[in-house]
């Protein structure tokens, strides 16, 4: 589900990033974001048009019409505030003060909702437990946790941009995003080293000055930016005697979200009805299974939008479900492969029963990846897909930002503010770039304001 590809507003961050390096991708608008198949035979299609989505939801829960309009209306209030601002680093004081003086109401709106979670807001307006469970499922797709643990700002970004900018699929597949960015960076004079496994961040007098590769080569720079998770950055790449206080707080407030079991399949097109939607979320029998390993199933069928991805008469299915790496450790190669096949077969049977009769017999190609696969190929601690609050968080206040306690070292990605998801990670990248530019003198900054604001941020995070 690709956010950030629209041609309007300020949250089209992938479009902006590609433009910055002189590239543009052809995209296909998705008429829907996801089709939910939920307990109690609840079926909800999230239409591209907001009014169509609300109409469908109100038809399913007519007694909660007012609550639905108020909850999603609050999401729009937050989204519109975000979308009105020029998105740069929240750690850069001159930018923040400039935005506040230009858009004081919008900034105050965001400040008000910064410590709040989507579930608490939903419960102010909605009483129906099934509808609240549906909002849990909406947030689970965003953050792999329920609405009570999902920051309201994160939820609002996703629940509204899908209707504002819409979901747009890049022709040729999502891998083209990385390739286009890489080509654009090289065009602008950058150099990208592939198969260059970083094993250490090099420190001199407590400052990050470069990186060391697994082959022994060293590269030195004014700044080091780590896109590894915070656990990998401070647990593996950085050799320090004691974990910095900020990282201790992060690990106290957040745990690693689970990884996924992924199934990539090629199937005969005849097994799918002609009106099949691209994205599906399946939770069959019990809402309590939402966050359990293998409990819910995500399904994307990119060939519904872009038939060129598969041979004629075939579709691609990408099926995935949450899974912890501990469930896959300690197995022999034979037992590991056998377990992958058994778990994948069970998931395929569930989809066959719920959505596509005859699915198993239609398979012409199948590859299965476990959390160990994600760890190996993505170099992420335990194959995790980002941080998950250990308890009930105070919105986004406990999430670390791009700067770290190590001079010259920055972090970026889903374990930094504002967290998981395409929009959030792109936002993290934009913020980090702006902050680094300010620190090396390419942007104006105020050291006095800087010290005061960082102190305020640290104090707020301590409260969180």
């Amino acid at each position: 589900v690709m956010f950030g590809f629209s041609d309007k507003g300020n949250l089209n961050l992938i479009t902006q990033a590609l433009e910055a390096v002189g590239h543009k991708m052809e995209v296909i608008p998705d008429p829907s974001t996801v089709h939910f198949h939920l307990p109690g035979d609840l079926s909800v299609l999230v239409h591209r048009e907001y009014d169509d989505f609300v109409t469908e939801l109100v038809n399913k829960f007519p007694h909660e019409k007012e609550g639905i309009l108020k909850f999603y209306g609050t999401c729009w209030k937050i989204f519109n505030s975000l979308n009105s601002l020029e998105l740069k680093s929240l750690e850069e004081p001159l930018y923040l003060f400039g935005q506040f003086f230009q858009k004081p109401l919008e900034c105050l709106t965001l400040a008000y909702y910064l410590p709040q979670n989507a579930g608490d807001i939903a419960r102010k307006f909605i009483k129906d437990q099934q509808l609240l469970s549906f909002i849990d499922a909406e947030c689970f797709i965003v953050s792999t946790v329920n609405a009570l643990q999902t920051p309201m700002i994160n939820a609002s970004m996703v629940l509204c941009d899908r209707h504002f900018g819409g979901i747009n699929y890049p022709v040729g597949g999502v891998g083209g995003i990385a390739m286009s960015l890489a080509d654009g960076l090289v065009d602008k004079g950058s150099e990208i080293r592939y198969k260059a496994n970083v094993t250490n961040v090099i420190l001199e007098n407590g400052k990050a000055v470069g990186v060391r590769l697994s082959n022994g080569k060293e590269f030195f720079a004014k700044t080091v930016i780590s896109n590894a998770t915070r656990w990998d950055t401070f647990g593996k790449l950085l050799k320090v005697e004691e974990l910095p206080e900020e990282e201790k707080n992060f690990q106290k407030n957040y745990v690693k979200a689970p990884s996924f079991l992924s199934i990539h399949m090629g199937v005969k097109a005849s097994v799918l009805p002609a009106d099949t939607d691209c994205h599906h979320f399946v939770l069959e029998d019990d809402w309590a299974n939402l966050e359990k390993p293998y409990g819910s199933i995500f399904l994307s069928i990119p060939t519904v939008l872009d038939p060129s991805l598969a041979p004629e008469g075939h579709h691609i299915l990408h099926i995935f479900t949450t899974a912890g790496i501990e469930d896959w450790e300690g197995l022999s190669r034979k037992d590991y492969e056998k377990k992958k096949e058994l778990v994948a077969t069970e998931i395929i049977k569930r989809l066959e029963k719920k959505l596509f009769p005859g699915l198993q017999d239609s398979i012409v190609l199948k590859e299965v990846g476990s959390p160990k696969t994600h760890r190996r190929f993505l170099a992420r601690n335990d194959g995790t897909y980002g941080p998950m609050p250990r308890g009930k968080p105070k919105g986004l206040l406990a999430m670390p930002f791009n700067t770290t306690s190590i001079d010259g070292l920055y972090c970026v990605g889903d374990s930094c503010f504002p967290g998981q998801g395409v929009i959030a990670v792109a936002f993290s990248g934009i913020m980090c770039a702006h902050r680094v530019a300010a620190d090396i003198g390419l942007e104006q900054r105020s050291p006095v304001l800087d010290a005061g604001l960082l102190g305020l941020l640290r104090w707020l995070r301590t409260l969180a």
Side-chain angles (χ1 to χ4, degrees):
V1 178
M2 283 295 115
F3 292 88
F5 260 123
S6 75
D7 57 1
K8 59 181 180 178
N10 288 330
L11 285 173
N12 56 350
L13 297 174
I14 295 180
T15 300
Q16 292 181 40
L18 288 169
E19 284 179 351
V21 293
H23 278 248
K24 184 177 183 179
M25 296 184 70
E26 182 185 353
V27 297
I28 302 166
D30 194 334
S32 62
T33 304
V34 62
H35 192 160
F36 287 96
H37 310 271
L38 301 167
D41 289 325
L42 177 62
S43 171
V44 179
L45 181 65
V46 180
H47 301 267
R48 189 181 184 95
E49 295 299 323
Y50 175 67
D51 290 344
D52 293 340
F53 163 63
V54 166
T55 297
E56 174 156 343
L57 201 57
V58 168
N59 286 341
K60 298 282 169 55
F61 300 95
H63 54 292
E64 288 282 15
K65 179 178 179 179
E66 184 179 355
I68 290 170
L69 294 175
K70 285 185 176 179
F71 171 70
Y72 286 98
T74 303
C75 289
W76 277 107
K77 181 180 177 182
I78 296 167
F79 175 84
N80 289 333
S81 295
L82 263 176
N83 202 28
S84 70
L85 303 177
E86 182 186 10
L87 299 180
K88 289 187 176 181
S89 176
L90 301 186
E91 295 182 279
E92 180 46 42
L94 287 181
Y95 155 74
L96 278 182
F97 279 93
Q99 290 296 300
F100 182 80
F101 285 118
Q102 291 176 44
K103 306 270 186 176
L105 184 60
E106 289 82 353
C107 289
L108 289 171
T109 297
L110 294 174
Y112 176 75
Y113 287 104
L114 185 65
Q116 301 191 54
N117 299 317
D120 294 317
I121 304 296
R123 279 159 177 76
K124 288 181 180 179
F125 307 124
I126 294 167
K127 303 302 177 191
D128 187 289
Q129 191 54 52
Q130 190 182 32
L131 179 54
L132 289 171
S133 294
F134 169 74
I135 292 172
D136 279 336
E138 287 255 74
C139 290
F140 183 72
I141 290 177
V142 177
S143 58
T144 62
V145 288
N146 60 41
L148 285 169
Q149 291 182 287
T150 301
M152 186 62 179
I153 288 180
N154 284 43
S156 300
M157 286 167 68
V158 174
L159 299 184
C160 296
D161 192 59
R162 65 190 184 186
H163 304 294
F164 179 83
I167 304 303
N168 301 285
Y169 191 84
V171 173
V174 296
I177 301 170
M179 288 187 282
S180 293
L181 284 169
D183 289 344
L185 285 164
V186 171
D187 292 343
K188 294 288 184 182
S190 299
E191 182 181 348
I192 300 173
R193 295 291 180 101
Y194 295 98
K195 297 184 179 179
N197 183 31
V198 175
T199 55
N200 293 85
V201 173
I202 302 170
L203 297 181
E204 283 185 6
N205 301 319
K207 175 179 169 59
V209 295
V211 295
R212 183 177 297 113
L213 305 189
S214 57
N215 62 7
K217 287 186 178 180
E218 295 181 342
F219 296 89
F220 294 89
K222 291 180 181 178
T223 57
V224 177
I225 303 171
S226 174
N227 187 42
T229 69
R230 302 294 285 221
W231 296 281
D232 288 301
T233 301
F234 285 90
K236 296 177 182 176
L237 301 180
L238 201 67
K239 311 302 181 188
V240 290
E241 290 184 10
E242 188 176 2
L243 206 61
E245 200 62 34
E246 186 178 37
E247 302 311 316
K248 288 180 182 177
N249 289 334
F250 169 66
Q251 295 193 15
K252 181 176 71 177
N253 289 312
Y254 288 88
V255 296
K256 285 170 281 189
S259 187
F260 288 96
L261 180 97
S262 293
I263 309 167
H264 293 272
M265 297 197 316
V267 303
K268 296 173 184 175
S270 56
V271 78
L272 303 184
D275 59 348
T276 299
D277 298 295
C278 182
H279 303 290
H280 301 260
F281 181 81
V282 178
L283 177 65
E284 302 101 312
D285 304 316
D286 190 344
W287 286 107
N289 292 331
L290 177 68
E291 298 175 71
K292 291 181 180 178
Y294 318 110
S296 47
I297 302 171
F298 301 81
L299 167 65
S300 288
I301 313 169
T303 40
V304 167
L305 298 175
D306 185 0
S308 72
L309 297 171
E312 189 175 350
H314 295 81
H315 278 295
I316 292 172
L317 271 65
H318 177 206
I319 307 160
F320 51 110
T321 181
T322 56
I325 200 162
E326 64 279 355
D327 202 25
W328 296 86
E329 300 278 36
L331 300 172
S332 68
R333 168 55 64 178
K334 182 179 178 181
D335 288 342
Y336 173 70
E337 294 295 340
K338 184 178 179 181
K339 180 167 183 169
K340 282 203 299 183
E341 186 64 27
L342 286 171
V343 175
T345 299
E346 180 59 33
I347 290 167
I348 292 164
K349 283 181 180 177
R350 288 166 61 186
L351 287 177
E352 190 171 47
K353 182 178 178 182
K354 187 70 178 179
L355 296 178
F356 308 126
L359 181 60
Q360 183 72 46
D361 292 336
S362 76
I363 299 171
V364 296
L365 177 72
K366 180 177 68 177
E367 291 185 348
V368 183
S370 76
K372 289 179 71 174
T373 316
H374 289 83
R375 179 177 65 186
R376 176 185 174 190
F377 289 99
L378 302 180
R380 294 177 64 86
N381 198 298
D382 292 340
T384 182
Y385 266 66
M388 192 167 68
R390 194 177 291 274
K392 186 178 176 182
K394 293 185 179 179
L396 288 170
L397 285 178
M399 185 72 81
F401 285 75
N402 300 119
T403 57
T404 71
S405 56
I406 306 296
D407 187 23
L409 176 65
Y410 302 80
C411 284
V412 70
D414 55 23
S415 50
C416 301
F417 177 97
Q420 296 182 41
V422 177
I423 294 183
V425 170
F427 190 6
S428 175
I430 296 286
M431 287 194 297
C432 190
H434 179 228
R435 178 63 203 216
V436 170
D439 286 349
I440 64 176
L442 298 178
E443 292 267 357
Q444 228 183 352
R445 58 175 297 195
S446 166
V448 176
L449 289 175
D450 195 21
L453 186 70
L454 280 175
L456 176 62
L457 281 171
R458 290 194 179 103
W459 178 69
L460 288 170
R461 284 182 225 163
T462 302
L463 292 179

